[in-house]
Amino acid sequence: MKEGPDIARIASLVGDPARANMLTALMDGGALTASELALEAGVSLPTASSHLAKLMDGKLLTVASQGRHRYYALSGAEVANMIEAISGVAAHSGPRRARPGPRDKSMREARVCYDHLAGDHAVAMFDRLIAQEIIVRDDEEIRLGPAGQGFFAAIGIDTATLGASRRPMCRACLDWSVRRSHLAGSLGTAILDKILAEKWARRPTGSRVVEFTPPGRKAFEKLFLS
Amino acid sequence: MKEGPDIARIASLVGDPARANMLTALMDGGALTASELALEAGVSLPTASSHLAKLMDGKLLTVASQGRHRYYALSGAEVANMIEAISGVAAHSGPRRARPGPRDKSMREARVCYDHLAGDHAVAMFDRLIAQEIIVRDDEEIRLGPAGQGFFAAIGIDTATLGASRRPMCRACLDWSVRRSHLAGSLGTAILDKILAEKWARRPTGSRVVEFTPPGRKAFEKLFLS
DNA sequence: AGAATGCTTCGACTAGCATCGAACCATGGA
DNA sequence: TCCATGGTTCGATGCTAGTCGAAGCATTCT
């Protein structure tokens, strides 16, 4: 009966609307203060504090005290991955949002998923990388392919140092908008970093949307989709 | 604030212990009846029914009516993926099950799964019955093998009358402790009945554990494992 | 037809938990 | 030292949702 880890415990943590809002607000990988999160969740400060304590207790969040502020953030990519997975199911189950709306459209196109790129663009890129054997799926795992090291070196991403880290370099992350995988892991992070560093896209504050500039999109497509 | 799909809604579905147990019980991809799930979750039948209705409403489960049984199963791989993701986080967060404890050990060894035997003993017996062609796997189905009728007749189980019933005589049931199959169906029930009737084992009330007596275990092993 | 089994619905009870106001601690600045 | 601001704790309140017994359908076996 009671087998694996206590799944109900942490699912119920996400199950409260206020907490769910907080978690999604943190999905961009940033850190927010308690008051900001209270606002985001639409509850009073005491209530928010109580929720944050619970999330901390469940190790879903980490906190960093800075002066008299306390910055809360997701405790890791694993948590972000879980939220995405839940979103995926919810998208199919939910009371179909009548019309997607413009904001949802850009979200669908390109958004930040914790620390890497998600959305249509990310999925297309993922497929292309697979097709060119820059990365390869090996059963459930994803690894750098034969053409990988050279490709990334040419755009200034050193896969050797990435691989040395403890964090998995390549991971598949399932999208809730499209039903397909995109690239997570430290390589996914590196690619997002490059996109922002090259100013191909910018991130409106307080949102997960990634807005490509017209020339930025061209550059992105040329590099990853051709 | 409210952007993505309603994640809290479905997270709270998984957030109830009873429902979480049901979902994990279905993680093998199999289908179980409402009563089996009630047992698995440790709640009464009405309660289970209510939970199942909610899970259906959230589109996490599908149901297939077969005769007077209703077989529930996960609605898709996406749901399974979500459960896995949650388990992953829970494993890191949870209060590390320090030691399995004696109760878990006996559960792993032999327990009742609805109306038949499960656990290590059941899996070993299943393998042995297959090896001796007392039963045979035919693709997904399981049937009585050439040596079957004689074998069971010798221990007082009349396979002819069992086969006359509408209920499937042989069914494979997947174990959570070991990830392998054991025997369910009316034949599985008959075997469990015999074990209890011969007093080879007894069932502590209020538990699924099946406790073999030392001579009982000997007899069982001689009959099914030699 | 009648009995038995599997499952769902109804009704009542209870417990847990989210919520907020007010008081309380901590840090930073005057 | 004294205020101002960001956060947490406490206490009281109200609502939601899980729980089970009993009764109600539906299907199948005799």
Coordinates of all heavy atoms in Angstrom, one line a residue, chain A residues 67-130:
Chain A
G67 N 19.9 41.4 3.9 CA 19.4 42.5 4.6 C 18.1 42.1 5.3 O 18.0 41.1 5.9
R68 N 17.2 43.0 5.2 CA 15.9 42.6 5.8 C 14.9 42.0 4.8 O 13.7 42.0 5.1 CB 15.3 43.9 6.5 CG 15.1 45.0 5.6 CD 14.6 46.2 6.4 NE 14.7 47.5 5.7 CZ 14.4 48.6 6.3 NH1 14.1 48.7 7.6 NH2 14.5 49.7 5.6
H69 N 15.4 41.6 3.7 CA 14.6 40.9 2.8 C 14.9 39.4 2.8 O 16.0 39.0 3.1 CB 14.8 41.4 1.3 CG 14.4 42.8 1.1 ND1 13.2 43.2 0.6 CD2 15.1 44.0 1.4 CE1 13.1 44.5 0.6 NE2 14.3 45.0 1.0
R70 N 13.9 38.6 2.5 CA 14.1 37.2 2.4 C 13.7 36.8 1.0 O 12.5 36.9 0.6 CB 13.3 36.4 3.4 CG 13.6 36.9 4.8 CD 13.1 35.9 5.8 NE 14.1 34.8 5.9 CZ 13.9 33.7 6.6 NH1 12.8 33.6 7.3 NH2 14.8 32.8 6.6
Y71 N 14.7 36.4 0.2 CA 14.4 36.0 -1.2 C 14.1 34.5 -1.3 O 15.0 33.7 -1.0 CB 15.5 36.4 -2.1 CG 15.6 37.9 -2.4 CD1 16.3 38.7 -1.6 CD2 14.8 38.4 -3.4 CE1 16.3 40.1 -1.8 CE2 14.8 39.8 -3.7 CZ 15.6 40.6 -2.9 OH 15.6 41.9 -3.1
Y72 N 12.9 34.2 -1.8 CA 12.6 32.8 -2.0 C 12.8 32.3 -3.4 O 12.5 33.1 -4.3 CB 11.1 32.5 -1.6 CG 10.9 32.6 -0.1 CD1 10.6 33.8 0.5 CD2 11.1 31.5 0.7 CE1 10.4 33.9 1.9 CE2 10.9 31.6 2.1 CZ 10.5 32.8 2.7 OH 10.3 32.8 4.0
A73 N 13.2 31.1 -3.6 CA 13.4 30.6 -5.0 C 13.1 29.1 -5.0 O 13.1 28.4 -3.9 CB 14.8 30.8 -5.5
L74 N 12.8 28.5 -6.1 CA 12.7 27.1 -6.2 C 14.0 26.4 -5.8 O 15.0 26.9 -6.1 CB 12.3 26.7 -7.7 CG 11.0 27.2 -8.2 CD1 10.7 26.5 -9.6 CD2 9.8 26.9 -7.3
S75 N 13.8 25.3 -5.1 CA 15.0 24.7 -4.6 C 15.8 23.9 -5.6 O 17.0 23.5 -5.4 CB 14.7 23.7 -3.5 OG 13.9 22.6 -4.0
G76 N 15.3 23.8 -6.8 CA 16.1 23.1 -7.8 C 15.3 22.8 -9.1 O 14.1 23.0 -9.2
A77 N 16.0 22.3 -10.1 CA 15.4 22.0 -11.4 C 14.4 20.9 -11.3 O 13.4 20.9 -12.1 CB 16.5 21.7 -12.4
E78 N 14.6 20.0 -10.3 CA 13.7 18.9 -10.2 C 12.3 19.4 -9.9 O 11.3 18.9 -10.4 CB 14.2 18.0 -9.1 CG 13.7 16.6 -9.3 CD 14.5 15.7 -8.4 OE1 15.2 16.2 -7.5 OE2 14.4 14.4 -8.6
V79 N 12.2 20.4 -9.0 CA 10.9 21.0 -8.7 C 10.3 21.6 -9.9 O 9.1 21.4 -10.1 CB 11.1 22.0 -7.5 CG1 9.8 22.7 -7.2 CG2 11.7 21.3 -6.3
A80 N 11.1 22.4 -10.6 CA 10.6 23.0 -11.8 C 10.0 22.0 -12.8 O 9.0 22.1 -13.4 CB 11.7 23.8 -12.5
N81 N 10.8 20.9 -12.9 CA 10.4 19.8 -13.8 C 9.0 19.3 -13.4 O 8.1 19.0 -14.2 CB 11.4 18.7 -13.8 CG 11.0 17.6 -14.7 OD1 10.7 17.7 -15.8 ND2 11.0 16.4 -14.1
M82 N 8.8 19.1 -12.1 CA 7.6 18.6 -11.6 C 6.4 19.5 -11.9 O 5.4 19.1 -12.4 CB 7.7 18.4 -10.1 CG 6.4 18.1 -9.4 SD 6.5 18.0 -7.6 CE 6.5 19.7 -7.2
I83 N 6.6 20.8 -11.7 CA 5.6 21.8 -12.0 C 5.2 21.7 -13.5 O 4.0 21.7 -13.8 CB 6.1 23.2 -11.7 CG1 6.6 23.3 -10.2 CG2 4.9 24.2 -11.9 CD1 5.5 23.4 -9.2
E84 N 6.2 21.6 -14.3 CA 5.9 21.5 -15.8 C 5.1 20.3 -16.1 O 4.1 20.3 -16.8 CB 7.2 21.5 -16.6 CG 7.8 22.8 -16.8 CD 7.2 23.5 -18.0 OE1 6.7 22.9 -18.9 OE2 7.1 24.8 -18.0
A85 N 5.4 19.2 -15.4 CA 4.7 17.9 -15.6 C 3.3 18.1 -15.2 O 2.4 17.6 -15.9 CB 5.4 16.8 -14.9
I86 N 3.1 18.7 -14.1 CA 1.7 18.9 -13.6 C 0.9 19.8 -14.6 O -0.2 19.6 -14.9 CB 1.7 19.5 -12.2 CG1 2.4 18.5 -11.2 CG2 0.3 19.8 -11.7 CD1 2.5 19.0 -9.8
S87 N 1.6 20.9 -15.0 CA 1.0 21.8 -16.0 C 0.5 21.0 -17.2 O -0.5 21.3 -17.8 CB 1.9 22.9 -16.4 OG 2.3 23.6 -15.3
G88 N 1.4 20.1 -17.6 CA 1.1 19.3 -18.8 C -0.3 18.6 -18.7 O -1.1 18.6 -19.6
V89 N -0.4 17.9 -17.6 CA -1.7 17.2 -17.3 C -2.8 18.2 -17.2 O -3.9 17.9 -17.7 CB -1.6 16.3 -16.1 CG1 -2.9 15.6 -15.8 CG2 -0.5 15.3 -16.2
A90 N -2.6 19.2 -16.5 CA -3.7 20.2 -16.3 C -4.2 20.8 -17.6 O -5.3 21.1 -17.7 CB -3.2 21.3 -15.3
A91 N -3.2 21.0 -18.5 CA -3.6 21.6 -19.8 C -4.6 20.7 -20.5 O -5.5 21.2 -21.2 CB -2.4 21.8 -20.7
H92 N -4.4 19.4 -20.4 CA -5.4 18.5 -21.0 C -6.7 18.4 -20.3 O -7.7 18.2 -20.9 CB -4.7 17.1 -21.2 CG -3.7 17.1 -22.2 ND1 -3.0 18.2 -22.6 CD2 -3.2 16.1 -23.0 CE1 -2.2 17.9 -23.6 NE2 -2.3 16.6 -23.8
S93 N -6.5 18.4 -19.0 CA -7.7 18.2 -18.1 C -8.6 19.4 -18.0 O -9.8 19.4 -18.1 CB -7.3 17.7 -16.8 OG -8.2 18.1 -15.8
G94 N -7.9 20.5 -17.8 CA -8.5 21.7 -17.4 C -9.7 22.1 -18.2 O -9.9 21.6 -19.3
P95 N -10.5 23.1 -17.7 CA -11.6 23.6 -18.5 C -11.1 24.5 -19.6 O -11.0 25.7 -19.4 CB -12.4 24.4 -17.4 CG -11.3 24.8 -16.4 CD -10.3 23.7 -16.5
R96 N -10.8 23.9 -20.6 CA -10.2 24.6 -21.8 C -10.4 26.1 -21.8 O -11.5 26.6 -22.1 CB -10.8 24.0 -23.1 CG -10.8 22.5 -23.1 CD -10.3 22.0 -24.4 NE -9.8 20.7 -24.2 CZ -8.6 20.4 -23.8 NH1 -7.8 21.3 -23.4 NH2 -8.2 19.1 -23.6
R97 N -9.3 26.8 -21.6 CA -9.4 28.3 -21.7 C -10.0 28.6 -23.1 O -9.4 28.3 -24.1 CB -8.0 28.9 -21.6 CG -7.3 28.6 -20.3 CD -5.8 28.8 -20.4 NE -5.4 30.2 -20.3 CZ -5.8 31.0 -19.4 NH1 -6.6 30.6 -18.5 NH2 -5.4 32.3 -19.3
A98 N -11.1 29.3 -23.1 CA -11.8 29.6 -24.3 C -10.9 30.1 -25.4 O -10.7 29.4 -26.4 CB -12.9 30.7 -24.0
R99 N -10.2 31.3 -25.2 CA -9.3 31.7 -26.2 C -8.0 31.9 -25.5 O -7.9 32.5 -24.4 CB -9.8 33.0 -26.8 CG -11.2 32.9 -27.3 CD -11.6 34.2 -28.1 NE -11.2 35.4 -27.4 CZ -10.2 36.1 -27.7 NH1 -9.4 35.8 -28.7 NH2 -9.9 37.2 -27.0
P100 N -6.9 31.6 -26.2 CA -5.6 31.6 -25.7 C -5.2 33.0 -25.3 O -4.5 33.2 -24.3 CB -4.7 31.1 -26.8 CG -5.6 30.3 -27.6 CD -7.0 30.9 -27.6
G101 N -5.6 34.0 -26.0 CA -5.1 35.4 -25.6 C -3.7 35.6 -26.1 O -2.9 34.7 -26.2
P102 N -3.4 36.9 -26.3 CA -2.1 37.2 -26.9 C -0.9 36.8 -25.9 O 0.1 36.4 -26.4 CB -2.1 38.8 -27.0 CG -3.2 39.2 -26.0 CD -4.1 38.1 -25.9
R103 N -1.1 37.0 -24.7 CA -0.1 36.7 -23.7 C 0.3 35.2 -23.8 O 1.4 34.8 -23.8 CB -0.5 37.1 -22.3 CG 0.6 36.8 -21.3 CD 0.1 36.9 -19.9 NE 1.2 36.7 -19.0 CZ 1.5 37.6 -18.1 NH1 0.8 38.7 -18.0 NH2 2.5 37.3 -17.2
D104 N -0.8 34.4 -23.9 CA -0.6 33.0 -24.0 C 0.1 32.6 -25.2 O 0.9 31.6 -25.3 CB -1.9 32.2 -23.9 CG -2.5 32.3 -22.5 OD1 -1.8 32.0 -21.5 OD2 -3.7 32.7 -22.3
K105 N -0.1 33.3 -26.3 CA 0.5 33.0 -27.6 C 2.0 33.2 -27.5 O 2.7 32.3 -27.9 CB -0.1 34.0 -28.6 CG 0.5 33.7 -30.0 CD -0.3 34.3 -31.1 CE 0.4 34.3 -32.5 NZ 1.2 35.5 -32.6
S106 N 2.5 34.2 -26.9 CA 3.9 34.4 -26.8 C 4.5 33.3 -25.8 O 5.6 32.8 -26.0 CB 4.3 35.8 -26.3 OG 3.2 36.6 -26.0
M107 N 3.7 33.0 -24.8 CA 4.1 32.0 -23.8 C 4.3 30.7 -24.6 O 5.3 29.9 -24.3 CB 3.1 31.8 -22.7 CG 3.1 32.8 -21.6 SD 4.4 32.4 -20.4 CE 3.4 31.4 -19.3
R108 N 3.4 30.4 -25.5 CA 3.5 29.2 -26.2 C 4.7 29.1 -27.1 O 5.3 28.1 -27.4 CB 2.2 29.0 -27.0 CG 1.8 27.6 -27.4 CD 0.3 27.6 -27.8 NE -0.6 27.9 -26.7 CZ -1.2 27.0 -26.0 NH1 -1.0 25.7 -26.3 NH2 -2.0 27.3 -25.0
E109 N 5.0 30.3 -27.6 CA 6.1 30.4 -28.6 C 7.4 30.2 -27.9 O 8.3 29.4 -28.3 CB 6.0 31.7 -29.3 CG 6.9 31.8 -30.5 CD 6.6 33.2 -31.2 OE1 5.5 33.3 -31.8 OE2 7.5 34.1 -31.1
A110 N 7.7 31.0 -26.9 CA 9.0 30.9 -26.2 C 8.8 31.4 -24.8 O 8.4 32.6 -24.6 CB 10.0 31.7 -27.0
R111 N 9.2 30.7 -23.8 CA 9.2 31.1 -22.4 C 10.4 30.4 -21.7 O 11.0 29.5 -22.2 CB 7.9 30.7 -21.8 CG 7.7 29.2 -21.6 CD 6.4 28.8 -20.9 NE 6.3 27.4 -20.8 CZ 6.0 26.5 -21.8 NH1 5.6 27.0 -22.9 NH2 5.9 25.3 -21.5
V112 N 10.6 30.9 -20.5 CA 11.6 30.4 -19.7 C 11.0 29.3 -18.8 O 9.9 29.5 -18.2 CB 12.2 31.5 -18.8 CG1 13.1 30.9 -17.7 CG2 13.0 32.4 -19.6
C113 N 11.7 28.1 -18.7 CA 11.3 27.1 -17.8 C 12.4 26.9 -16.8 O 13.3 26.2 -17.1 CB 11.0 25.8 -18.6 SG 10.7 24.3 -17.6
Y114 N 12.2 27.6 -15.7 CA 13.3 27.6 -14.6 C 14.6 28.3 -15.1 O 14.9 29.4 -14.8 CB 13.5 26.2 -14.1 CG 14.4 26.2 -12.9 CD1 14.1 27.0 -11.8 CD2 15.5 25.4 -12.8 CE1 14.9 27.0 -10.7 CE2 16.3 25.4 -11.7 CZ 16.0 26.2 -10.6 OH 16.8 26.2 -9.5
D115 N 15.3 27.5 -15.9 CA 16.6 28.1 -16.3 C 16.9 27.8 -17.8 O 18.1 27.9 -18.2 CB 17.7 27.6 -15.4 CG 17.9 26.1 -15.4 OD1 17.1 25.5 -16.2 OD2 18.7 25.6 -14.7
H116 N 16.0 27.3 -18.5 CA 16.2 27.0 -19.9 C 15.0 27.4 -20.7 O 14.0 27.8 -20.2 CB 16.5 25.5 -20.1 CG 15.4 24.6 -19.5 ND1 15.4 24.1 -18.3 CD2 14.3 24.1 -20.1 CE1 14.3 23.4 -18.1 NE2 13.6 23.4 -19.2
L117 N 15.1 27.3 -22.0 CA 14.1 27.7 -22.9 C 13.0 26.7 -23.1 O 13.4 25.5 -23.3 CB 14.7 28.1 -24.3 CG 13.9 28.9 -25.3 CD1 13.6 30.3 -24.7 CD2 14.6 29.0 -26.6
A118 N 11.8 27.1 -23.2 CA 10.7 26.1 -23.4 C 9.8 26.8 -24.5 O 9.9 27.9 -24.9 CB 9.9 25.9 -22.2
G119 N 8.8 26.0 -24.9 CA 7.8 26.5 -25.9 C 8.2 26.0 -27.3 O 9.1 25.2 -27.5
D120 N 7.4 26.4 -28.3 CA 7.5 26.0 -29.7 C 9.0 26.0 -30.2 O 9.5 25.1 -30.7 CB 6.7 26.8 -30.6 CG 5.2 26.5 -30.5 OD1 4.9 25.4 -30.0 OD2 4.4 27.3 -30.8
H121 N 9.6 27.2 -30.0 CA 11.0 27.3 -30.4 C 11.9 26.3 -29.8 O 12.8 25.7 -30.5 CB 11.5 28.7 -30.1 CG 11.0 29.8 -31.0 ND1 9.7 29.8 -31.5 CD2 11.7 30.9 -31.6 CE1 9.6 30.9 -32.3 NE2 10.7 31.5 -32.3
A122 N 11.7 26.0 -28.6 CA 12.6 25.1 -27.9 C 12.4 23.7 -28.4 O 13.3 22.9 -28.6 CB 12.4 25.1 -26.4
V123 N 11.1 23.4 -28.7 CA 10.8 22.0 -29.2 C 11.4 21.8 -30.6 O 12.0 20.8 -30.9 CB 9.3 21.8 -29.2 CG1 9.0 20.5 -29.9 CG2 8.8 21.7 -27.8
A124 N 11.3 22.9 -31.4 CA 11.8 22.8 -32.8 C 13.3 22.6 -32.7 O 13.9 21.8 -33.4 CB 11.4 24.1 -33.5
M125 N 13.9 23.4 -31.8 CA 15.4 23.3 -31.7 C 15.8 21.9 -31.2 O 16.7 21.3 -31.8 CB 15.9 24.3 -30.7 CG 17.4 24.3 -30.4 SD 17.9 25.5 -29.2 CE 17.4 24.7 -27.7
F126 N 15.1 21.4 -30.3 CA 15.4 20.0 -29.8 C 15.3 19.0 -30.9 O 16.2 18.2 -31.1 CB 14.3 19.7 -28.7 CG 14.6 18.4 -28.0 CD1 15.6 18.2 -27.1 CD2 13.8 17.3 -28.3 CE1 15.8 17.0 -26.5 CE2 14.0 16.0 -27.7 CZ 15.0 15.9 -26.8
D127 N 14.3 19.0 -31.7 CA 14.1 18.1 -32.8 C 15.3 18.2 -33.8 O 15.8 17.2 -34.3 CB 12.8 18.4 -33.6 CG 11.6 18.0 -32.7 OD1 11.8 17.3 -31.7 OD2 10.5 18.4 -33.1
R128 N 15.7 19.5 -34.0 CA 16.7 19.7 -35.0 C 18.1 19.2 -34.5 O 18.9 18.6 -35.2 CB 16.8 21.2 -35.3 CG 17.6 21.6 -36.5 CD 16.9 21.1 -37.7 NE 17.8 21.1 -38.9 CZ 17.6 20.4 -40.0 NH1 16.6 19.6 -40.1 NH2 18.5 20.4 -41.0
L129 N 18.3 19.4 -33.2 CA 19.6 18.9 -32.6 C 19.6 17.4 -32.7 O 20.7 16.8 -32.9 CB 19.7 19.4 -31.2 CG 19.9 20.9 -31.0 CD1 19.9 21.3 -29.5 CD2 21.1 21.4 -31.7
I130 N 18.5 16.8 -32.5 CA 18.4 15.3 -32.5 C 18.7 14.8 -34.0 O 19.5 13.9 -34.2 CB 17.0 14.8 -32.1 CG1 16.8 15.0 -30.6 CG2 16.8 13.3 -32.5 CD1 17.4 13.9 -29.7

